[in-house]
Amino acid sequence: MSPSLSLSFWLFLLEASGSRCELILPGSCSSLALWCLMMSVTPTRGCLLDLPWEDILVPHILCHLPLQQLLSLQRVSKSFQSLIQLYLANMRCFDSSQIGPAIPRAAFVNLLKDNEVLQQLALQNCSDWLTDQELLPVIGQNHHLHQIQLKGCAQLSRHALVAISLSCPNLRQLSLAHCEWVDSLSLRSLADHCKALEAVDLTACRQLKDEAICYLVQKCGRLKSLSLAVNANVGDVAVEETAKCCPELEHLDLTGCLRVKNDSIRVLAEYCPKLRSLKVKHCHNVAESSLSILRSRGVELDVEPPLQRALVLLQDVVGFAPFINLQI
């Protein structure tokens, strides 16, 4: 590779002295940076792999490289393969989107087979094939998980949620959006065992009714964010119980909850002083008479005031916004 390339050899600087090793990566790490890392093995400077793996290479160097490039690095040699396996076994965060639009089933199983220290797990890119068979072993051996993202993983079953509740007592954030397999029994298990939950996304979990939501919020009073969107079975009972049990609530999504009415919104305004955002679009029984209380407090709403909505509709019809003196 020619030294005249302007982007070439300053993508990273590796400084090793005694017990200190630092990797500086300005900007995004490209394949060229990976090439530089591998080419840092020279007779005069010593071998990169001679540095302490667990003390320097894993925590201070490999953590700066994209997961996809680390997987490519495994093919350089058996030593590099062993190094990457050590890194994967000590990885705290796994996000399948870092590998690409889709990750093969076998690759997923191989990547996490030795890991017992995961804290964050995001698997939305595995929705086409992820089943209990692949997920349950990972959940069963990782008891420190505090954030799990399973959005759209439609091929799992209620057993996955039960396994999460039994294995992850410190869970704080859980996304089950568009997981229609979530039922009231599995949600009860979650509520009984994961009382530190702060954010739960139950968007389009259509099996859930008011009773299941009430049980969840009664057990998990620390909730700050909750989504019950796109669920026609959720109504005022669930919203009112959420308001009374979760005084720390900051974000609530009720989009498309057709049974929610004004009364529960007023209860929400009364019991949730920390509420910052509320989504009620397509909640046709929620009117400005209840929303105005929250609007006056500065709560972010996803529906505009009636007059502003009328102006927008008028502009769409006539092609311009008429001047109206709003102070009259």
Side-chain angles (χ1 to χ4, degrees):
M1 181 173 292
S2 170
S4 62
L5 292 176
S6 59
L7 194 60
S8 58
F9 300 105
W10 298 106
L11 286 175
F12 76 89
L13 174 64
L14 182 63
E15 296 176 350
S17 60
S19 62
R20 186 168 181 268
C21 180
E22 207 171 316
L23 183 69
I24 302 174
L25 289 173
S28 60
C29 180
S30 66
S31 58
L32 181 57
L34 181 59
W35 179 87
C36 292
L37 180 61
M38 292 186 291
M39 293 306 292
S40 64
V41 181
T42 65
T44 57
R45 297 172 62 187
C47 177
L48 176 71
L49 295 175
D50 288 340
L51 295 172
W53 287 15
E54 294 190 26
D55 295 332
I56 294 180
L57 292 183
V58 170
H60 297 295
I61 294 181
L62 298 186
C63 62
H64 292 280
L65 296 173
L67 184 57
Q68 190 170 21
Q69 292 192 352
L70 287 173
L71 300 181
S72 300
L73 190 58
Q74 286 189 106
R75 297 194 290 267
V76 173
S77 67
K78 290 184 178 180
S79 296
F80 270 105
Q81 183 179 16
S82 299
L83 173 61
I84 301 307
Q85 287 297 321
L86 176 65
Y87 171 81
L88 294 173
N90 289 276
M91 187 168 48
R92 299 294 198 274
C93 176
F94 180 82
D95 187 345
S96 62
S97 64
Q98 294 181 3
I99 299 178
I103 172 176
R105 184 197 314 254
F108 168 78
V109 173
N110 184 61
L111 288 174
L112 297 180
K113 61 183 176 62
D114 298 322
N115 194 303
E116 298 180 0
V117 294
L118 276 178
Q119 296 179 1
Q120 301 178 39
L121 181 64
L123 300 177
Q124 59 269 32
N125 283 31
C126 305
S127 57
D128 290 341
W129 52 262
L130 186 68
T131 66
D132 293 354
Q133 182 177 354
E134 293 81 29
L135 180 63
L136 264 57
V138 176
I139 297 298
Q141 66 192 30
N142 285 280
H143 304 292
H144 304 288
L145 281 163
H146 59 74
Q147 182 175 334
I148 299 177
Q149 163 68 264
L150 297 175
K151 180 180 179 180
C153 294
Q155 298 189 49
L156 296 173
S157 76
R158 60 183 301 272
H159 299 295
L161 187 53
V162 173
I164 289 172
S165 64
L166 296 177
S167 297
C168 309
N170 300 316
L171 192 65
R172 295 199 299 270
Q173 298 181 32
L174 177 62
S175 175
L176 299 169
H178 303 281
C179 294
E180 297 194 20
W181 45 266
V182 177
D183 60 11
S184 59
L185 289 177
S186 57
L187 194 68
R188 288 175 71 93
S189 178
L190 179 73
D192 286 334
H193 297 93
C194 299
K195 298 181 181 180
L197 279 168
E198 296 179 356
V200 180
D201 188 347
L202 298 172
T203 299
C205 293
R206 303 176 197 275
Q207 290 195 57
L208 300 178
K209 298 181 180 180
D210 283 346
E211 294 79 9
I213 304 302
C214 289
Y215 193 87
L216 174 68
V217 297
Q218 289 166 3
K219 296 287 185 176
C220 302
R222 301 183 190 176
L223 281 176
K224 296 181 179 180
S225 177
L226 178 64
S227 176
L228 304 173
V230 198
N231 191 334
N233 294 318
V234 170
D236 284 343
V237 173
V239 176
E240 291 179 13
E241 194 67 16
T242 298
K244 294 175 182 178
C245 295
C246 303
E248 303 295 317
L249 193 67
E250 297 178 1
H251 307 283
L252 180 61
D253 190 347
L254 300 173
T255 304
C257 294
L258 303 179
R259 295 176 56 229
V260 173
K261 300 182 179 68
N262 286 321
D263 289 344
S264 61
I265 302 301
R266 293 191 182 97
V267 173
L268 194 66
E270 179 180 356
Y271 284 89
C272 295
K274 297 184 179 181
L275 193 67
R276 294 166 52 191
S277 71
L278 174 66
K279 295 183 178 181
V280 288
K281 187 173 288 186
H282 306 303
C283 295
H284 304 304
N285 294 314
V286 175
E288 184 63 23
S289 58
S290 60
L291 293 177
S292 60
I293 306 171
L294 294 169
R295 203 184 298 278
S296 65
R297 280 173 25 193
V299 176
E300 180 183 345
L301 302 173
D302 64 342
V303 293
E304 299 167 337
L307 180 57
Q308 189 171 347
R309 285 203 302 271
L311 290 176
V312 170
L313 290 173
L314 185 58
Q315 181 176 359
D316 290 339
V317 173
V318 302
F320 65 91
F323 172 76
I324 298 179
N325 186 351
L326 298 179
Q327 295 181 348
I328 296 177

